[in-house]
Amino acid sequence: MSQPFKDAIAICKAILRNGYDAYVVNAQLQKELLDGRETEIDIACEPDYEELGKLFPSLERSNEEGVVATMREGGALIRFYHTDTEESSHPEHTLARITPRMLRVLEEQGKVPPALACPYIAHTGDVYEGFEDFSKGKVQLRGIPDETLRRNYLLVIRAMRFAANFDLPIEPNSWMAIIRAASRVLDYVRISDIMDEWRKVEAECMWKFVQLLFDAQILHGLLPEVAALSRVRQQRNDEGAEESVLEHTLDCMRHYPEGEYNYDWLGTFAMLFHDVGKLYTAEYFDGKWNFYQHHRVGAKVTRKLLRRLHFLPEDVETVCHLVRHHMRFHFMLTDRGIRRFKSLDEYPRLIQIARADLEARDGSYTYFNHNMKYLERAETPEQMLEPLLNGNEIMEFTNLHPGPQVGMLRDALLKAQVAGEVTSVPEAVDYIREYKAKNFG
């Protein structure tokens, strides 16, 4: 091995000892390309210019394509390129096999293989790296879409995030590349990276993002239990219209982030799972699908799914709690029922879930409005919701016969209790007698 290559390897080892990756790019090809030329060696490495400068004081910044810096060492010109550090790239793109400088020499020698006509050199980029400018009114992968994705399959998820957040269509050729790459997304992209992208999706746009995941069949691999809801049918409304549970789920996700819940990411995310239990509880009887206990079953399934997505324990508990209790506000609650409901954690979110569910179904607000009124009554101490004397006792103490006057006395007594004017049975007896004498003679 010649001295220049020994020096280049020593430089790589110095970088490695400082915690970064580094290697000589295609050493055999570089050796063949020297051919009596000035010794030039290309190194691919992980650190940027500032970090390299701390290791090699003689480093110089470069304006060459893809070159981070250059350095003279033992008579050889060393070029530093960035190595691929994307966790989500195809394995074949992890190792750089040619650089622009090597390509130029090959062209001069007339030895350019077709496969090396467009070499890719890794470099640090921003979040929009790999995408055309959005001013075109669409989300489009730069260059050859399939090759762009091979360099970083996380761009599939990012493209969907951009499309959802910016309300833009995905360019047709880019979309087909995304569909072809769908199976490789879960092969090479970490779940934590997928969720990092998902958490950047706006709450009000999340339903579009999930729809894209489903259309590309990524949801089928990521959350097959949720994707399977597209095959579960249910009655949409009292008119008998049908829909899939997934269609209903997406509608609920669209309606949930309204008003003060516009930025409630976790609440919107919980809506994705609120009916997942229907997959396991579906039962066809008497011409209708039933899903008894789907909320309880769904909460248990959701816990499993969120662990698969590496959710924080506290977020797992919140989402499972919302799924478990999302049916509570759908029924006409009594005073006792509304008090039990209001004692639940996250009850305002549960109300919003019920509202979104009704909006998605074009349902009746009769029960909902009744419960909202009863929420106000829940602020009143329970003992104040019934008069201290019932109808029979009022008639006994006032010598009245059954009739509207008894009801008027009962209402007046209850108001006096709520106002704090009456606090005991003896005071209640005195109050109704005085009220009768004053108003009924």
Side-chain angles (χ1 to χ4, degrees), residues 38 44 49 60 121 153 172 196 221 234 305 387 406 416 423 432:
E38 177 187 9
Y49 177 80
E60 296 181 3
I121 298 300
Y153 286 112
D196 283 344
Q234 68 177 16
L305 300 184
V406 176
T423 58
I432 61 172

Side-chain angles (χ1 to χ4, degrees), residues 10-12 14-15 51-60 71 80:
I11 290 172
C12 291
I15 296 173
E51 290 300 316
L52 281 172
K54 297 175 184 178
L55 303 179
F56 309 109
S58 61
L59 200 71
E60 296 181 3
M71 182 178 70
F80 294 92

Side-chain angles (χ1 to χ4, degrees), residues 277-308:
K278 289 184 176 180
L279 175 65
Y280 302 90
T281 59
E283 180 182 358
Y284 194 75
F285 175 73
D286 198 20
K288 180 181 177 182
W289 284 104
N290 299 287
F291 308 97
Y292 301 122
Q293 294 291 83
H294 77 273
H295 52 292
R296 287 183 178 272
V297 173
K300 296 178 180 180
V301 174
T302 299
R303 187 177 302 279
K304 175 183 69 173
L305 300 184
L306 295 187
R307 286 173 176 165
R308 182 188 306 165

Side-chain angles (χ1 to χ4, degrees), residues 37-309:
R37 299 169 181 268
E38 177 187 9
T39 304
E40 301 177 54
I41 298 179
D42 295 344
I43 289 177
C45 61
E46 185 179 357
D48 56 20
Y49 177 80
E50 286 70 22
E51 290 300 316
L52 281 172
K54 297 175 184 178
L55 303 179
F56 309 109
S58 61
L59 200 71
E60 296 181 3
R61 194 181 292 273
S62 173
N63 293 322
E64 291 185 57
E65 177 189 0
V67 180
V68 180
T70 60
M71 182 178 70
R72 290 279 178 182
E73 181 68 25
L77 178 64
I78 306 295
R79 287 183 175 86
F80 294 92
Y81 291 84
H82 273 299
T83 188
D84 175 26
T85 56
E86 293 289 353
E87 295 290 346
S88 306
S89 63
H90 192 280
E92 292 177 4
H93 280 277
T94 301
L95 179 66
R97 299 186 183 279
I98 194 168
T99 66
R101 195 271 306 177
M102 295 163 63
L103 181 62
R104 286 194 299 270
V105 176
L106 283 171
E107 288 175 339
E108 293 172 6
Q109 297 177 359
K111 302 177 181 178
V112 183
L116 298 180
C118 298
Y120 168 70
I121 298 300
H123 60 282
T124 56
D126 59 25
V127 69
Y128 300 108
E129 178 65 32
F131 293 93
E132 296 289 352
D133 195 296
F134 295 151
S135 62
K136 296 181 178 180
K138 55 190 174 183
V139 176
Q140 181 175 352
L141 293 165
R142 185 170 297 164
I144 302 173
D146 294 272
E147 288 302 311
T148 301
L149 292 181
R150 282 167 63 86
R151 297 164 193 162
N152 184 5
Y153 286 112
L154 184 59
L155 296 184
V156 168
I157 308 300
R158 191 167 294 161
M160 295 179 181
R161 168 164 72 91
F162 291 152
N165 282 350
F166 302 149
D167 194 22
L168 293 174
I170 297 178
E171 185 269 332
N173 289 318
S174 297
W175 177 245
M176 290 308 301
I178 285 172
I179 292 176
R180 288 191 288 266
S183 63
R184 291 178 174 175
V185 171
L186 297 181
D187 287 339
Y188 299 123
V189 182
R190 296 179 302 185
I191 292 296
S192 58
D193 289 340
I194 292 176
M195 292 312 304
D196 283 344
E197 290 292 325
W198 196 328
R199 286 187 177 276
K200 295 172 185 173
V201 177
E202 301 292 340
E204 60 185 348
C205 306
M206 196 185 301
W207 70 274
K208 299 177 188 177
F209 179 76
V210 175
Q211 180 71 68
L212 288 169
L213 287 177
F214 177 80
D215 291 344
Q217 299 194 47
I218 293 174
L219 192 67
H220 299 65
L222 187 64
L223 295 169
E225 299 85 350
V226 175
L229 296 178
S230 65
R231 315 312 301 169
V232 182
R233 306 295 296 178
Q234 68 177 16
Q235 186 172 313
R236 175 183 173 87
N237 50 38
D238 294 336
E239 283 69 42
E242 276 200 353
E243 63 182 352
S244 74
V245 176
L246 183 62
E247 289 173 330
H248 171 70
T249 296
L250 294 175
D251 278 345
C252 287
M253 294 180 73
R254 180 163 57 90
H255 286 292
Y256 179 91
E258 295 176 349
E260 63 182 294
Y261 294 89
N262 188 255
Y263 301 104
D264 186 3
W265 190 94
L266 197 61
T268 306
F269 187 77
M271 290 253 55
L272 176 62
F273 301 94
H274 82 287
D275 275 350
V276 71
K278 289 184 176 180
L279 175 65
Y280 302 90
T281 59
E283 180 182 358
Y284 194 75
F285 175 73
D286 198 20
K288 180 181 177 182
W289 284 104
N290 299 287
F291 308 97
Y292 301 122
Q293 294 291 83
H294 77 273
H295 52 292
R296 287 183 178 272
V297 173
K300 296 178 180 180
V301 174
T302 299
R303 187 177 302 279
K304 175 183 69 173
L305 300 184
L306 295 187
R307 286 173 176 165
R308 182 188 306 165
L309 298 180

Side-chain angles (χ1 to χ4, degrees), residues 247 347 392 413 436:
E247 289 173 330
Y347 80 86
N392 290 330
L413 175 58
K436 176 197 173 189

